[in-house]
Amino acid sequence: MKENSVYDCNILKLNKIHNRAGNITILEGMSNLPFDIKRLYYLYDIPAGENRGGHAHKELRQLIIAASGSFDILLDDGINKKIVALNRPDYGLLVVPGIWRELMEFSSGAICLVLASHLYDENDYIRTYEDFKAYKNGAF
Ligand code: TYD
């Protein structure tokens, strides 16, 4: 996971069943996602100007979706950085392990839906950028 790069984090176009009464998007582990879903959480009521994230994971894979509104995700593998804008509920960003991420520029009322491959485990987090650089350089 240490060797993963920002180029392994791709936007996935999700399915959308449309009819005149609205849309539905369906996510099912392993049938249309590259991992089984063990956990789902969502960020909401995010005050203007606040950022979230600011960490990396050692094993966790996530699909991040703007279920409502929009926000930007900064991805950083220690060498390359890229910023991805999410603003539609039928697109998701796959974030692989070993990537520093920051979520920013939340629109008013934005809902950030996250599907995760593992249960919550604080030991899977890398919480400081200094530790992240050390991890990428093989320190642990
Ligand atoms: P954290 O992952 O640090 O938030 P973010 O990266 O979005 O800024 O989580 C915020 C708090 O919520 C932290 O105290 C840990 C807790 N938490 C859980 O208990 N379970 C979870 O599944 C998640 C995602 C967070």
Side-chain angles (χ1 to χ4, degrees):
M1 316 306 168
K2 285 184 178 38
E3 59 281 358
N4 281 337
S5 90
V6 296
Y7 303 108
D8 299 311
C9 299
N10 297 312
I11 292 269
L12 305 185
K13 169 72 179 88
L14 308 175
N15 60 75
K16 178 163 79 172
I17 300 174
H18 169 78
N19 70 35
R20 48 178 288 282
N23 299 324
I24 179 169
T25 292
I26 302 116
L27 296 165
E28 291 181 291
M30 296 313 286
S31 93
N32 60 2
L33 274 188
F35 58 84
D36 261 328
I37 303 160
K38 289 247 179 61
R39 180 166 52 110
L40 175 158
Y41 62 91
Y42 41 100
L43 308 174
Y44 55 99
D45 287 350
I46 300 148
E50 286 295 338
N51 294 348
R52 303 284 312 214
H55 62 251
H57 287 281
K58 296 176 213 159
E59 300 291 337
L60 191 72
R61 297 159 74 82
Q62 292 166 303
L63 185 74
I64 304 180
I65 298 167
S68 185
S70 62
F71 49 87
D72 292 344
I73 305 178
L74 168 73
L75 301 170
D76 179 344
D77 59 25
I79 298 170
N80 308 292
K81 293 184 203 246
K82 76 176 181 186
I83 293 180
V84 177
L86 286 178
N87 53 22
R88 294 177 56 102
D90 57 336
Y91 285 81
L93 175 67
L94 179 68
V95 181
V96 297
I99 304 293
W100 185 264
R101 90 289 309 278
E102 293 174 26
L103 282 69
M104 53 190 71
E105 304 291 341
F106 288 92
S107 68
S108 170
I111 299 176
C112 171
L113 175 63
V114 183
L115 309 181
S117 63
H118 292 76
L119 301 180
Y120 177 71
D121 176 8
E122 186 57 37
N123 292 324
D124 190 62
Y125 279 77
I126 303 169
R127 288 283 189 187
T128 70
Y129 194 76
E130 192 185 4
D131 285 350
F132 173 68
K133 291 288 276 186
Y135 174 77
K136 290 301 250 186
N137 290 328
F140 61 97

